[in-house]
Amino acid sequence: MKFRKHRKYLLAIACLSASGLSTQAMAQQSDDANVSRLEEIVVTGARGRPRTVSDSPVPIDVFTAEDLRAVSYTDTNDILKTLVPSFNLGRQPISDGASFIRPAEMRGLPTDKTLVLVNSKRRHRSALVLIGGSGTQGPDLSTIPSIAIKNIEVLRDGASAQYGSDAIAGVINFILKDASEGISFSVQNGEFSEGDGGQTTIQGNVGLPLGENGFLNLSAEISESDAASRSEQYCESWACVDPNGAYPISDFVSSPGYQAGLANANIGFGDVVQPWGRPDAESARFFFNAGYQIDADTQFYAFGNYSESDSHGSFFYRYKGNGTIEDLREKDGGIYNPVEKYPGGFTPRFFGEVFDFSILAGIRGAWDNGLNYDISGRRGESEIRYTLSNTINPSMGRASKKSFEPGDLINQETQFQADFTYEFESDMASPLLLAFGGSFMDESYEVVEGELDSYFAGPWSGKDPFGFCNGSAATAAGLGVIANGSSLDCANSDDAVYQVVGVGSNGFPGFSPQFSEVYERSSWALYGDLSADITDKFFLQGAVRYEDYDDFDSELVFKLAGLYRLNDTINIRGSVGTGFRAPTPGQQGTINVSTRLPQGLPVATGLFPAGGPVAGALGAIPLVPETSTNYTIGFTASLGELDLTVDFYRIDLDDATYAISTRSVSTDPTSGAAYLNFLALDAAGVAGANSIGGVNYFANGFDISSAGVDIVATYPLSWDGGSSTSLTAVMSFNEKDFESDPSAFRNEEARFDFVNYDPNWRGVFTAVHNVGDLYLVGRASYWGESENANSGTSRRQVQDGVWFVDLEAQYQINDTFRISGGGRNIFDEYPEKGTVGDTCCGRVYESGSNVDWHGSYWFARITADF
């Protein structure tokens, strides 16, 4: 990995991290199965006064470090997917940057509708804007090493009035470890039962004292994983790779480009020309958390991270004669074909280096008048650097390189925040708690220009680049090359002289100066929050927030939440509130030209900024904020040893931001709207407009709703001999729908899939058994039935529900060492193979599905606590 300019960030963190070392044994797993989860203390949503889960007026899940250790995953995204059924995570192998930063959703909405906090402070967004769907740009949770986490609080309710934009579906708050002594170290290794996808992860955590009154807690993680492929050979009606056909696999494997790819990237395609699955990846992540008690009423605190990762995957296989590998008439009248570089065709390889840095510092305390304060400032940055290899710029012909740097994406945020709380004596059952404060945030999104060859429009971006023909007759130049033996035939419309090919590095053209710029904005906010126990039975909380953006109108949102204690065992709770999410600078500025499958066949598709001239020429208008109304009602119950929470919710999201369905582009004057789209692109100066087959942009096109119910039940069992078992069942039902007519923006297939593609039901059922030094975990995960459409809705496939079973055993050898082993999806279950949609081109399973399709995974881990 390359540290380059980010060395300065590492130096800044190292300076904050300098201290002496002492050790202490880490906390052991709790063997008290009778401690109710409903009594866990939470700070998220409380705004100043911590409450228990059972006393919270809104649904909150709390997961401790021990809960996280009971999950075999080390990636924080996968841990949340395992523990929170309303949090869903997909794997998109051929989806540009989404191959490296995975998209997720909570309560049926993309994760940019869920606010992510670290130590109750906003986490910066990643540099990736997903080019499909809602154009999600949210934080990259994988940059937070799981070993750095003390506990996770998941607020499953709208909280924009309390925390600001993005908190429409909920809040995820990562609380970092704060021990001042002790060391923990673990090594985990595993692979899929297919024999691929091997992964090794090394994690460490150390607590250090800062003088007599402070702590410095350091966490690090290094991970390396090999690619996993669940593919079949590329064989379609238009091109079939087989040993004896027109596209023999031997040609592909013997291709100099393929061999160079092997040497340079260690990629290993195996026996398929286009793999589908988890990409190769390696990463190094570092987090620190520090605090120092200045005096009895004042504390300084700071935390931050540095993370870098490298990953690479494949694009679609380019077969001979696909519009990219074509005969081109050269300046001397001869013929050039890219098969000279790639005899068997080629599969572009896409590399992403992702850098992530943050640092936050603040001071909190209490003044003599009883006013509590918390003043902080933070800086966060995410950067993606792309490289494309094993490809060409077709329009440059023979002169094209095989590797390109198409440009970088950078997201930066700076925020200053002040929060205050004050308790007023009252005649109510508790003092009246006032929380108020404000913040200022400056953010930017930069599209960095790629190298010239990555976007250059070479000679073959247009017909007859050397002027050989005039209509069906040869010009003087044409006659000259014919005289020298050229096969030029201007009367033949299929002659190579008329061939037009794509512009830029094929698979991902670079960012040209026309679309390389910095998008900036600033915003400020004021909020107020009042809460109190009105009576011994009734708690009420209200919040209001005003935010003003320099690129949008201001917004005023509110929230009202309450809890009523029916008796000692049952509480009724509910909330209503409004929310909003301003489109990010990234969503307003992102541009992409890539290969997609709008009708099942590969098409070069361009996405352009909604507020820019290109999309404007196609009818787009600038984006506006999304607004929402959130309703939740439910209850908590403690029925003997059984703890139960049931919460119904509905989120109405107006002016939802989604990419419109791909619109066709054609140079054929008889193609109607497709030709008009080409004329609009050409008039806007888009290089290679004549080689683009589709176009789209983000739009606030329609209103949607997301409704459902979350159910959480826990039950502890104690056995003779001191052993115990804890049972947990977590179920989530979600249903999405359109609340306005989306037909002007989304085609019939996209409308159907929006409602039906994701399973409605998701459940996780866990049993944890302790017997002496042995710790057993069994987990069953369920994804319900779903349905996918293709070709409008004329072809549909119903995917039956599927169960995955995980099993893990941990054994405490002594006070220091613990060994673990087990498997995920131990019965090697797969979703059904796809028969409609995009399951072509070597793809066997629906790669956009939230149901994993890699099969069983087996692992072993050793942990040392000192």
Side-chain angles (χ1 to χ4, degrees), residues 560-581:
L560 187 66
L563 178 140
Y564 186 77
R565 303 173 183 88
L566 285 179
N567 50 46
D568 291 339
T569 60
I570 299 177
N571 298 333
I572 304 295
R573 62 188 182 186
S575 68
V576 60
T578 58
F580 75 101
R581 195 196 67 84

Side-chain angles (χ1 to χ4, degrees), residues 73 75-82 84-92 98 100-107 109 111 130 139-142 758-759 762 783 804 846-853:
Y73 289 104
D75 187 303
T76 303
N77 276 303
D78 289 307
I79 291 173
L80 281 172
K81 177 194 71 173
T82 302
V84 185
S86 58
F87 183 92
N88 283 301
L89 184 70
R91 169 76 66 187
Q92 298 188 11
F100 315 134
I101 299 177
R102 298 161 65 190
E105 63 178 27
M106 193 165 85
R107 281 194 160 183
L109 297 177
T111 45
L130 299 180
D140 182 5
L141 301 186
S142 68
D758 293 327
R762 171 94 161 87
W783 286 264
F804 288 174
E846 281 289 331
S847 57
S849 172
N850 290 328
V851 183
D852 188 77
W853 37 270

Side-chain angles (χ1 to χ4, degrees), residues 546-555 580 625:
Y546 176 85
E547 294 210 22
D548 185 84
Y549 289 78
D550 65 2
D551 55 350
F552 296 104
D553 293 334
S554 58
E555 294 281 349
F580 75 101

Side-chain angles (χ1 to χ4, degrees), residues 157-324:
D157 192 47
S160 288
Q162 296 167 293
Y163 293 103
S165 181
D166 304 346
I168 288 176
V171 178
I172 302 174
N173 191 6
F174 295 92
I175 309 299
L176 301 176
K177 290 180 178 177
D178 55 7
S180 61
E181 50 189 2
I183 296 176
S184 181
F185 179 81
S186 72
V187 179
Q188 179 169 313
N189 181 265
E191 69 175 18
F192 291 104
S193 58
E194 294 283 343
D196 59 5
Q199 181 173 3
T200 300
T201 303
I202 302 172
Q203 293 184 314
N205 175 266
V206 58
L208 310 170
L210 281 179
E212 296 182 356
N213 301 313
F215 72 91
L216 174 62
N217 195 274
L218 305 175
S219 301
E221 174 187 282
I222 297 175
S223 180
E224 183 172 346
S225 60
D226 299 327
S229 176
R230 299 295 175 266
S231 318
E232 61 186 10
Q233 192 56 276
Y234 193 111
C235 188
E236 305 295 338
S237 60
W238 53 86
C240 184
V241 178
D242 63 64
N244 303 311
Y247 304 92
I249 184 65
S250 58
D251 284 355
F252 182 84
V253 173
S254 63
S255 165
Y258 173 72
Q259 296 296 333
L262 276 175
N264 295 335
N266 191 30
I267 50 181
F269 286 92
D271 59 352
V272 297
V273 299
Q274 181 181 300
W276 290 90
R278 192 181 74 181
D280 294 74
E282 60 180 19
S283 62
R285 320 216 189 261
F286 174 78
F287 236 103
F288 84 93
N289 186 30
Y292 189 83
Q293 198 72 35
I294 299 173
D295 57 38
D297 297 318
T298 311
Q299 183 191 40
F300 168 81
Y301 61 90
F303 58 89
N305 82 292
Y306 179 82
S307 169
E308 61 179 47
S309 62
D310 296 331
S311 187
H312 46 93
S314 297
F315 280 166
F316 290 101
Y317 167 59
R318 271 58 172 170
Y319 52 87
K320 291 176 285 186
N322 75 330
T324 296

Side-chain angles (χ1 to χ4, degrees), residues 587-608:
Q587 285 180 311
Q588 297 176 74
T590 193
I591 177 175
N592 181 276
V593 178
S594 60
T595 302
R596 303 181 68 186
L597 300 176
Q599 300 297 329
L601 297 176
V603 173
T605 304
L607 181 143
F608 298 95

